[in-house]
Amino acid sequence: MTSRLSGSLALVAGLSLWPASTWAESSTAAANLMACKQGRAACDSSRLSLAEQTEVARADHARNVAECRSGRAACDRSRLSEEETAALAVAAHDRNVANCTDAIGACDPSMLTAAQGRDIEAAGRRRRLSQCKHGTGVCDETGFTSAERADVAAVERERMVRDCETGSAACDPSRLTRSEE
């Protein structure tokens, strides 16, 4: 009976450890798979099954496509399909249009259509007009109509009067009229 009991205890002890070791191995395998999918150095591709290798290859390709769409240096265009290359050209054009429109990032005006060039010129004009009216940055009135110049002058005058009324350091009392003093 004692040997039977000790044998049963050994079996129970062995079985109780089995799920923990299996869990640790599967947890390690899952962490390795994740590292491989993310392209990290911790990846051990020799531990991947054929199905996992396919998953990793898909993730790597998707990461490369994302790098290309974002215009990053890590992009390897040689790994793109014809469709992806065409989509990349569209994404690059759209990014250039957005950069030109917003005046943020690299802008290549030679890559714009005539209509886009006109739209971007109008957006630049609106941006300059807004900067002049709000007193942000340098006011460049180049190309403004006389009505736009008059509008900017009126807004600047209102701002100066308000600055003087509030005691702001930007106040220039010599520019006030008698009625504004």
Side-chain angles (χ1 to χ4, degrees):
M1 175 105 147
T2 317
S3 68
R4 202 188 227 182
L5 183 60
S6 64
S8 294
L9 287 174
L11 179 62
V12 169
L15 287 175
S16 67
L17 293 175
W18 177 72
S21 65
T22 302
W23 179 82
E25 288 172 16
S26 69
S27 163
T28 304
N32 183 57
L33 177 59
M34 183 61 66
C36 293
K37 284 175 139 182
Q38 294 174 346
R40 294 187 314 206
C43 167
D44 181 358
S45 57
S46 67
R47 294 178 40 211
L48 298 174
S49 69
L50 186 57
E52 290 171 332
Q53 289 173 6
T54 302
E55 277 184 65
V56 169
R58 284 188 183 129
D60 184 49
H61 183 77
R63 191 171 43 258
N64 184 57
V65 170
E67 294 289 336
C68 292
R69 281 195 183 131
S70 300
R72 294 194 182 109
C75 165
D76 181 356
R77 290 176 181 251
S78 68
R79 295 175 44 209
L80 300 176
S81 69
E82 285 182 30
E83 294 82 12
E84 290 166 336
T85 300
L88 176 62
V90 170
H93 179 78
D94 291 347
R95 187 172 47 254
N96 185 58
V97 170
N99 287 350
C100 293
T101 301
D102 300 338
I104 298 173
C107 167
D108 184 354
S110 70
M111 301 300 291
L112 303 172
T113 66
Q116 289 168 334
R118 287 188 300 272
D119 290 347
I120 287 164
E121 188 176 317
R125 180 189 195 98
R126 286 189 303 272
R127 190 173 35 260
R128 286 192 343 267
L129 185 59
S130 175
Q131 287 173 334
C132 290
K133 285 182 171 183
H134 292 98
T136 57
V138 176
C139 179
D140 178 8
E141 294 184 15
T142 306
F144 285 180
T145 65
S146 57
E148 289 169 330
R149 277 195 213 94
D151 192 23
V152 168
V155 171
E156 285 177 340
R157 179 149 210 84
E158 288 173 17
R159 186 172 40 253
M160 196 257 311
V161 169
R162 188 176 50 250
D163 287 344
C164 290
E165 289 173 347
T166 60
S168 169
C171 170
D172 182 358
S174 68
R175 294 181 55 205
L176 296 176
T177 64
R178 287 183 192 247
S179 63
E180 292 170 335
E181 290 179 354

